[in-house]
Amino acid sequence: MALGTTADARAVIQLYAVLMETQSTKSATFYGVWLFLAWTLYVALIYPFLPTERPVAGILLGELFRIVIFIVPIVLLIWSSPTSKLVVLRLMPPTYRDMAIGVIVSVAWVCLTIGGALTIQQKSISYSPSIAFWIVRFSVAATIEELTFRSYFLQVLQRHGSLLAVVVSSVLFVCIHFPGWYLLEMLPTTAAWISTSIPIFTLGCLLGILFLRTTSIWPCVFLHVLNNLTSMI
């Protein structure tokens, strides 16, 4: 659906709900098991051997693996949908209202996180000369994760209630980071795990609420990308 009115947006939301009813909780469970097992094996057996002497090639290859692990199974699961896969996954262009909500929420979140980084964590702002490259990388990763945890998991779980859908999809969003944290020894202490998990869970809940209040995945992707970019501070 192209940019349209609020009435159009409500109609599309109702359509999404009906379309995702075809996805059973059992299918989502199997996909969840596949996702975490496949991602763990990737982190343990493939990620350490990606080319580091050519970082761009290594990252592009890594994102290709991410697409195969995260997105290809979702496409297969919704293949029997009677309408466009773009509609089912909310990949259609956002309305003006969606864009306004996405920008407002994103700016507020980024200001909050940057303020916390500068005051509570006492970090300083630094600039990366490869900022354009990181924007591209974060855009790909954020889109893949939003399609997985909001477009798929949250919509399938919504039949059990919006609150449960937001909370469970946010917990899954946190858990997908566990293999990297553990296998790559990124977080050495339990306190570090907790202090890192809480902001990610909070972000997941905010993304879930934003997803439910809009008709497109792109406001969520925009917020997710800006959040990832603040991690460069």
Side-chain angles (χ1 to χ4, degrees), residues 24-209:
S24 67
T25 304
K26 184 176 180 180
S27 297
T29 301
F30 279 124
Y31 169 63
V33 172
W34 152 263
L35 178 63
F36 286 94
L37 287 179
W39 187 245
T40 299
L41 290 174
Y42 163 77
V43 173
L45 303 178
I46 298 176
Y47 179 81
F49 300 101
L50 293 178
T52 56
E53 67 280 1
R54 300 175 62 188
V56 174
I59 290 175
L60 291 177
L61 185 58
E63 295 307 316
L64 178 61
F65 274 106
R66 192 194 298 261
I67 290 173
V68 172
I69 293 171
F70 283 68
I71 302 302
V72 171
I74 292 179
V75 173
L76 295 176
L77 286 171
I78 66 172
W79 194 256
S80 60
S81 172
T83 190
S84 169
K85 311 305 178 290
L86 298 180
V87 173
V88 176
L89 295 177
R90 298 205 195 185
L91 282 168
M92 306 304 286
T95 64
Y96 291 119
R97 171 182 173 275
D98 292 342
M99 290 191 298
I101 293 175
V103 169
I104 292 172
V105 172
S106 298
V107 170
W109 174 260
V110 168
C111 289
L112 180 64
T113 54
I114 290 179
L118 295 177
T119 57
I120 299 175
Q121 300 179 18
Q122 296 183 340
K123 292 183 177 181
S124 60
I125 295 178
S126 59
Y127 172 76
S128 171
S130 58
I131 185 71
F133 169 73
W134 288 107
I135 289 175
V136 173
R137 181 190 180 190
F138 286 150
S139 297
V140 174
T143 302
I144 292 172
E145 291 180 357
E146 288 310 303
L147 287 173
T148 301
F149 297 101
R150 256 59 67 177
S151 287
Y152 185 76
F153 277 124
L154 191 150
Q155 287 197 102
V156 172
L157 292 167
Q158 198 174 350
R159 75 185 66 183
H160 303 294
S162 297
L163 177 60
L164 179 67
V166 169
V167 171
V168 173
S169 62
S170 299
V171 170
L172 294 174
F173 180 50
V174 174
C175 291
I176 199 62
H177 294 81
F178 287 177
W181 295 349
Y182 178 76
L183 295 172
L184 303 179
E185 300 180 345
M186 298 173 65
L187 301 176
T189 65
T190 301
W193 278 63
I194 295 174
S195 63
T196 305
S197 296
I198 291 175
I200 295 177
F201 175 77
T202 304
L203 174 64
C205 290
L206 180 60
L207 287 165
I209 295 171

